[in-house]
Amino acid sequence: MSAIIKTITPFLNKELLLNALDCVGCKYWVDENEIVTERIDFSGNQTFIFINGRYQIKHYNHESFNNFSQNNNRKPLAQFLQEVEKEYNFLFDKKMEELEEQRQEEERIRIEKERKAFVEQQKENIIAKAKEKGYSVKEENVKGKIKLILVRNTY
């Protein structure tokens, strides 16, 4: 009798699942929407199948198989899945941290652009008001700051 096991952690991301399998030392190959592992039971290779938006493991579910796997110096399925879940969660957390760092960098860049746009707008407003009042404007850059010099000639 074969079974499909639902794990506590839903394996949603194929790339992360493949990396987790690499980390636990499980060899595999990809066949369309299936990840076929080197782990063999009475019905053949144990396979992660993409069902309803997540990968679930399909295997032979029989009591004697547990003895079969232990006699062949292999990890029982429950232990194997715990290790895969642990690695998957670690890789997921690492990816989330990278995305958060990327978002923070994007936010910093956005704020810097807004600041530059504000400074430019202020400069344009000052220059426009100065010209209305008859001043000529010279612009200097002093230590990274903009210095506007207003000059008006009176005779």
Side-chain angles (χ1 to χ4, degrees), residues 57-70:
I57 192 161
K58 179 182 172 193
H59 72 100
Y60 186 77
N61 186 21
H62 193 272
E63 289 297 319
S64 64
F65 177 66
N66 290 333
N67 296 332
F68 174 78
S69 66
Q70 290 170 357

Side-chain angles (χ1 to χ4, degrees), residues 60-103:
Y60 186 77
N61 186 21
H62 193 272
E63 289 297 319
S64 64
F65 177 66
N66 290 333
N67 296 332
F68 174 78
S69 66
Q70 290 170 357
N71 291 338
N72 287 306
N73 294 321
R74 289 195 328 165
K75 298 173 191 166
L77 183 63
Q79 182 182 354
F80 169 72
L81 284 177
Q82 284 176 346
E83 291 177 5
V84 171
E85 281 186 274
K86 181 181 175 185
E87 288 298 326
Y88 183 90
N89 288 329
F90 173 76
L91 294 168
F92 179 79
D93 291 342
K94 186 177 176 182
K95 187 170 186 170
M96 289 297 108
E97 287 174 6
E98 290 171 1
L99 288 174
E100 184 60 32
E101 289 173 5
Q102 183 180 2
R103 283 188 199 122

Side-chain angles (χ1 to χ4, degrees), residues 19-31:
N19 288 338
L21 289 171
D22 287 336
C23 290
V24 299
C26 180
K27 295 179 182 162
Y28 60 87
W29 63 92
V30 179
D31 184 20

